Amino acid sequence: MSRRNQAQDPDPVLITTTEALSELCARLRTEAFVTVDTEFMRERTYWPELCVVQLAGEHEVAVIDALAEGLDLAPLGELLADTAVTKVFHAARQDVEICILRFGAPPKPLFDTQIAAMVAGFGDQASYDSLVRGLANASIDKAHRFSDWAARPLSAAQINYAAADVTHLRRVYAALVDRLTEDGRLSWVAEEMAELTDPATYRQDPETAWERLKPRSSNRRFLAAVRAIAAWREREAQRVNIPRQRLVRDETLMEIAATGPTTANDLSRARGISKGFADGKTGAGLLAALASAKELPEAALPEAPKESRQGPPASPALIALLKVLLAAKAEEHHVAPRLIASSDELERLATENEPQVPALHGWRRQVFGQAALSLKGGKLALGVEGRKVKLIES
């Protein structure tokens, strides 16, 4: 950090009591915006364990010890719910998930500087470090990035590291807002925030957990087994609060679905399944879930994932053309290509007439989607002019 910034930034205050937190949040609720970050642990748990919350307003920076004995975080929840104060995060998805778990709702209104940076042309998933260097003229001390935030007491170095994140974020936010306002793109960021603050985005539905495994099979009976034991694993991992992979690894789950064990002895032969696991209540629960899937009538079996169904394959040449068009449009508008359209969306655009994908809605359609449809329809061609791709309307 430059000497000028050091002079401007107040020393962080450690908050460990409900009274101090309430007073802090009351002051911050008079601000136009506050910057927010969290430190949490989830390596050994299914649910993230909130350890520290950092807040910064215009004139103060605070580090809240979320594990402090007797601390009630309700005032923080009220601040995050105050629609008169914009909450600024960087790469907010995991922070928002924690807020929903702790307070029942996402912070609103919300501004994510990572998404804003992608809209402003800083590339795919612009790192916080690069934005701090480029927009705040500062640098990040990475020494405590992998700190044990659940250990107490918090050290002075940990507190300063945590506070620096929200301190620099104020300047990053201000610079991005200025740039996006000048380019007329603040509304683009607002569109992205709608999904980010939708509680459905974070809902852990055991019945759809199997879809994350992307089984490449059209055998509906096998898919029913995958669905049943993936749902069982999700519920059991939530119940005992351990990571799903620590309970049963993905590859083991797929093996069990394929082999269909009916006894504890059969189950213990699967890779990664111990005899104790198979003989105990956990193994019995898994076997029961598998047995229920085997009894399903044909009509209740899940359909194969779309990518596993038979159908005309996408033309590799057309996908390649769409990729070139995407790169050209991203370059023209100074927007990260990944924010405009994903690889899956390009494949759907190549195989379906007008698929329901984000690339064909809102600002994305204006920037890329309409041109993609014109390219498919033969109304647009690609050429080269100098060192740039040229769009030729026919």
Side-chain angles (χ1 to χ4, degrees):
M1 187 187 303
S2 68
R3 289 182 181 178
R4 177 175 175 271
N5 287 339
Q6 284 180 337
Q8 289 179 338
D9 294 329
D11 291 333
V13 175
L14 180 64
I15 302 292
T16 60
T17 68
T18 304
E19 181 182 6
L21 177 61
S22 182
E23 292 172 355
L24 168 71
C25 291
R27 292 192 299 273
L28 292 178
R29 289 179 71 174
T30 67
E31 304 267 4
F33 74 90
V34 295
T35 54
V36 191
D37 191 23
T38 66
E39 307 296 345
F40 56 90
M41 304 290 289
R42 73 182 314 166
E43 287 81 1
R44 297 182 295 273
T45 60
Y46 182 94
W47 306 108
E49 180 185 15
L50 180 61
C51 301
V52 172
V53 181
Q54 304 99 284
L55 298 173
E58 185 177 358
H59 302 295
E60 59 185 320
V61 181
V63 174
I64 303 165
D65 181 357
L67 300 181
E69 185 176 354
L71 177 65
D72 183 356
L73 291 176
L76 174 62
E78 293 169 3
L79 169 64
L80 295 176
D82 190 337
T83 56
V85 184
T86 298
K87 272 66 68 173
V88 181
F89 293 79
H90 181 82
R93 187 167 292 264
Q94 292 189 88
D95 301 306
V96 173
E97 179 188 14
I98 289 173
C99 292
I100 291 173
L101 289 171
R102 290 300 296 260
F103 305 114
K108 285 187 178 181
L110 184 145
F111 188 99
D112 187 328
T113 55
Q114 184 178 70
I115 292 174
M118 293 170 74
V119 172
F122 284 87
D124 288 342
Q125 288 190 318
S127 72
Y128 184 57
D129 293 2
S130 66
L131 293 178
V132 168
R133 286 195 302 271
L135 298 176
N137 191 29
S139 60
I140 299 292
D141 179 2
K142 301 179 182 180
H144 293 278
R145 176 160 293 182
F146 300 106
S147 184
D148 182 357
W149 292 101
R152 290 297 180 273
L154 293 168
S155 69
Q158 284 180 305
I159 293 169
N160 287 327
Y161 169 86
D165 278 349
V166 288
T167 301
H168 299 316
L169 193 55
R170 295 179 301 189
R171 289 184 281 278
V172 170
Y173 169 68
L176 285 172
V177 168
D178 287 346
R179 182 162 177 165
L180 291 166
T181 301
E182 183 178 347
D183 294 342
R185 294 186 180 180
L186 271 177
S187 62
W188 295 15
V189 178
E191 283 187 41
E192 302 312 301
M193 294 304 101
E195 178 184 354
L196 193 60
T197 56
D198 183 356
T201 303
Y202 307 91
R203 198 165 291 134
Q204 305 287 349
D205 183 2
E207 296 306 318
T208 61
W210 71 286
E211 295 172 359
R212 288 196 298 267
L213 299 169
K214 298 183 178 179
R216 295 189 174 276
S217 173
S218 57
N219 184 324
R220 295 175 66 202
R221 186 63 62 182
F222 165 72
L223 295 176
V226 174
R227 181 178 65 180
I229 57 179
W232 165 84
R233 180 179 68 168
E234 206 72 12
R235 291 192 184 94
E236 185 67 9
Q238 291 176 1
R239 185 183 70 81
V240 298
N241 196 24
I242 64 171
R244 64 177 71 90
Q245 293 286 353
R246 183 170 293 188
L247 184 64
V248 178
R249 297 190 66 81
D250 287 350
E251 57 268 27
T252 303
L253 187 149
M254 298 295 280
E255 178 187 341
I256 292 169
T259 57
T262 57
T263 67
N265 191 49
D266 293 339
L267 179 60
S268 67
R269 295 193 182 101
R271 288 172 298 174
I273 299 296
S274 67
K275 192 74 166 61
F277 179 105
D279 289 336
K281 289 183 179 179
T282 309
L286 192 160
L287 289 171
L290 196 56
S292 68
K294 292 178 180 178
E295 295 173 0
L296 288 174
E298 194 73 19
L301 299 178
E303 293 292 338
K306 193 160 191 177
E307 59 268 22
S308 298
R309 300 176 199 169
Q310 295 299 318
S315 164
L318 179 54
I319 293 176
L321 283 175
L322 288 170
K323 287 181 178 178
V324 172
L325 176 64
L326 175 61
K329 285 292 189 178
E331 180 181 342
E332 175 188 351
H333 293 278
H334 306 289
V335 183
R338 180 177 173 180
L339 188 64
I340 300 173
S342 67
S343 297
D344 288 343
E345 288 178 60
L346 294 182
E347 186 166 342
R348 290 191 62 186
L349 280 166
T351 56
E352 302 175 37
N353 288 333
E354 197 160 335
Q356 290 301 309
V357 294
L360 294 183
H361 296 280
W363 66 266
R364 290 179 175 85
R365 186 178 183 112
Q366 298 173 27
V367 169
F368 168 73
Q370 190 58 56
L373 294 177
S374 296
L375 180 66
K376 280 180 57 181
K379 299 176 182 177
L380 186 69
L382 300 178
V384 176
E385 188 175 78
R387 295 186 177 182
K388 290 191 174 183
V389 172
K390 179 182 179 182
L391 308 185
I392 306 168
E393 294 185 6
S394 57

